[in-house]
Amino acid sequence: MTATTQPGTGQPGASLRELKNFVNGEFVTAVAGRTSEVVDPSTGQAYAVAPVSGPDDVDAALRSAEAAREDWRDATPGQRSLALLKIADAVEARAAELTEAECRNTGKPVALTLAEELPPCVDELRFFAGAARILQGSAAAEYMAGHTSMIRREPVGVCAQVTPWNYPLMMAIWKIAPAIAAGNTVVLKPSDTTPVSTLLLAEIAAEFLPPGVLNVICGDAGTGRALVSHDIPQMVSITGSVRAGIQVAQAAAAGLKRVHLELGGKAPVVVFDDADVAKAAEGIAGAGYFNAGQDCTAATRVLAGPGIAADLTDALAEQARNTTVGGLDVPDADYGPLNNPNQLARVSGFLSRAPEHAEVVTGGHQVGERGYCFAPTVVSGLRQDDEMIQDEIFGPVITVQRFSQEDEAVAYANGVKYGLAASVWTKDHGRAMRLARLLDFGAVWINTHIPFVSEMPHGGFKHSGYGKDLSMYGFEDYTRIKHVMSYLGS
């Protein structure tokens, strides 16, 4: 990746970094000839240009992955594990460099990102390095007289992967690590607004992987369509919006490709009257405003019991007023800008269309004259069928609804099209376990919200998609099962 001077950026004559695709172990110039600007959301100014890969670029990357497929499939689990462990060590050693790339591309606070996002990235690589050596299946036995049956767990083949702009580096690792650990090869397309840290990750990994095992191509939605509809991939995996997930599933259906979808969310945060209001407010604000609320599991849809609804709303408003938002020039910010001007317009639109019965308790506006920062916001008085309750805002906006009793809380919580994550706040263990069973979400936290561990799965129900990230369940999604039966006679 080299620097070049590009006109037409709003900064005439500015020197912009030129990004290239990473294919077959090296950076290559896209043949399509189109480019798009990569913008620092802290300032709204372009600082790089990336290729918009066309069908020929997609084909070249997929053919590279296909050429590497058999040798990587035949590598032993120990060899694949060692490669991932070396990648993890290199990511850890270059954490500051990766953080700088991630934060310039997303506007996230540098110190917070280095402390909160890079360690899980390293841990996830190491977890899947271990998973590569633990291939599970039914025991070999004579289930039919005179015949021995056994299970082979094999890689799927070439995997086409698409990652979002909210956690570019981490989501790339969530996709790449299990796929490579299982013996697959990969072509990954990062979001067109955040390709930088993913390209750096590919460069780092190339020292330890054969050429073609990991390929990264830049591009837009058209690039993604060409990738998932191509004949070569046997599996397609995307983290993104519901709309994008439906489009990917439709494109993959023509080739009967396996599909793995991690899509949107609208996490209910059910707070009962016996909860500690101060602790709940602190935990909810932390999980609601982290990464500017641009997290599909963000704690942004609060359901409050009748006895504490007013106090909890006040406590959340106080938390919001004590939350600092700013770009890279605000080192102690709790969160940074929204990712792009379209997202700023989307979040602002929800507030401008708020119904008359709703109250914007605090926030509800853009912060600063440049970039895409948005104030920490609390909105109360909303009803179950309101847009802000039913649709994913994906911004630093916490809504508060009041419920009267437990069954109503469950009905409100489940009464959306999403099913990714939820939390319950109560001192009553029996109630907490009841709701953990009744809530129709792929993860339920109790008296906390948003922690992840590599050993446990992440993935949702309903319009939040299907398939799991993290854990052995995530690893198994990138494998296929083969039954082998051998006749024991002569």
Side-chain angles (χ1 to χ4, degrees):
M1 292 180 286
T2 59
T4 186
T5 300
Q6 295 287 337
T9 65
Q11 294 178 299
S15 179
L16 300 185
R17 184 180 181 183
E18 180 186 358
L19 306 178
K20 296 183 179 182
N21 291 338
F22 194 87
V23 176
N24 202 38
E26 62 183 358
F27 287 108
V28 298
T29 301
V31 299
R34 295 175 55 218
T35 62
S36 64
E37 293 181 340
V38 179
V39 172
D40 178 349
S42 295
T43 64
Q45 297 296 327
Y47 73 97
V49 290
V52 179
S53 300
D56 289 343
D57 301 303
V58 171
D59 184 71
L62 285 168
R63 292 195 183 281
S64 172
E66 176 63 17
R69 179 180 61 82
E70 290 188 1
D71 285 347
W72 189 244
R73 176 200 65 192
D74 294 341
T76 67
Q79 289 170 327
R80 297 195 296 262
S81 175
L82 182 59
L84 282 167
L85 288 172
K86 289 180 177 179
I87 294 170
D89 290 346
V91 167
E92 189 171 51
R94 298 177 68 175
E97 184 181 356
L98 283 159
T99 300
E100 191 281 330
E102 181 87 350
C103 294
R104 183 77 188 279
N105 215 170
T106 62
K108 297 178 184 182
V110 173
L112 188 64
T113 303
L114 183 62
E116 296 291 335
E117 296 189 31
L118 266 293
C121 287
V122 174
D123 185 68
E124 286 144 14
L125 286 163
R126 289 175 176 155
F127 173 83
F128 284 113
R133 307 185 73 155
I134 307 174
L135 302 177
Q136 298 179 343
S138 301
E142 289 68 47
Y143 298 100
M144 177 182 287
H147 299 74
T148 296
S149 286
M150 59 181 284
I151 291 294
R152 291 186 55 84
R153 187 177 287 279
E154 300 177 341
V156 175
V158 176
C159 298
Q161 301 179 325
V162 180
T163 51
W165 45 252
N166 57 337
Y167 296 102
L169 178 64
M170 185 179 294
M171 293 300 99
I173 288 173
W174 281 24
K175 300 294 186 196
I176 292 165
I180 289 175
N184 303 284
T185 57
V186 168
V187 177
L188 184 146
K189 190 197 85 66
S191 169
D192 56 345
T193 67
T194 55
V196 180
S197 56
T198 306
L199 287 167
L200 178 56
L201 174 65
E203 182 182 22
I204 291 170
E207 181 180 350
F208 312 106
L209 296 173
V213 171
L214 173 58
N215 308 274
V216 175
I217 57 171
C218 302
D220 57 11
T223 309
R225 284 191 292 271
L227 178 63
V228 303
S229 60
H230 197 284
D231 290 340
I232 286 179
Q234 294 300 303
M235 179 174 176
V236 175
S237 175
I238 178 175
T239 297
S241 67
V242 173
R243 177 185 54 80
I246 291 172
Q247 291 173 348
V248 165
Q250 289 171 336
L256 293 178
K257 297 176 175 69
R258 183 182 296 193
V259 179
H260 180 286
L261 304 175
E262 197 275 278
L263 308 177
K266 192 69 180 174
V269 182
V270 186
V271 186
F272 286 93
D273 285 347
D274 64 341
D276 185 313
V277 170
K279 288 183 178 179
E282 181 180 7
I284 294 165
Y289 296 137
F290 187 83
N291 198 27
Q294 298 170 124
D295 189 309
C296 48
T297 63
T300 55
R301 182 166 65 103
V302 175
L303 305 173
I308 53 94
D311 290 343
L312 181 58
T313 301
D314 290 342
L316 287 170
E318 185 64 20
Q319 288 287 332
R321 285 188 282 268
N322 291 328
T323 298
T324 302
V325 55
L328 296 178
D329 57 342
V330 184
D332 62 342
D334 296 300
Y335 69 83
L338 298 169
N339 179 259
N340 54 75
N342 290 339
Q343 189 60 23
L344 175 62
R346 175 180 172 82
V347 174
S348 299
F350 276 98
L351 274 298
S352 67
R353 297 188 302 271
E356 291 184 359
H357 55 262
E359 178 188 358
V360 179
V361 181
T362 188
H365 55 83
Q366 185 176 356
V367 174
E369 296 181 355
R370 65 176 192 163
Y372 314 128
C373 289
F374 199 86
T377 300
V378 176
V379 183
S380 67
L382 289 162
R383 299 169 185 169
Q384 183 66 15
D385 59 353
D386 286 334
E387 178 189 36
M388 274 193 273
I389 299 300
Q390 291 297 318
D391 294 339
E392 186 175 33
I393 300 173
F394 222 59
V397 180
I398 295 176
T399 64
V400 184
Q401 289 173 270
R402 176 176 174 149
F403 67 84
S404 58
Q405 52 194 13
E406 184 177 309
D407 60 350
E408 186 176 54
V410 172
Y412 283 173
N414 290 338
V416 294
K417 63 185 177 182
Y418 303 98
L420 188 57
S423 64
V424 181
W425 301 72
T426 180
K427 296 175 183 176
D428 185 330
H429 178 72
R431 170 187 285 155
M433 297 307 292
R434 278 196 307 276
L435 265 75
R437 179 175 64 86
L438 293 171
L439 291 172
D440 197 15
F441 297 84
V444 178
W445 291 286
I446 297 173
N447 293 324
T448 188
H449 194 109
I450 226 169
F452 290 96
V453 292
S454 299
E455 295 82 0
M456 289 290 111
H458 172 71
F461 312 140
K462 301 190 294 187
H463 279 215
S464 292
Y466 44 80
K468 297 298 179 184
D469 289 312
L470 305 176
S471 80
M472 288 303 295
Y473 298 101
F475 174 77
E476 290 170 359
D477 275 359
Y478 286 93
T479 66
R480 65 184 190 183
I481 301 299
K482 180 185 289 183
H483 169 219
V484 178
M485 178 182 277
S486 177
Y487 174 56
L488 300 180
S490 58

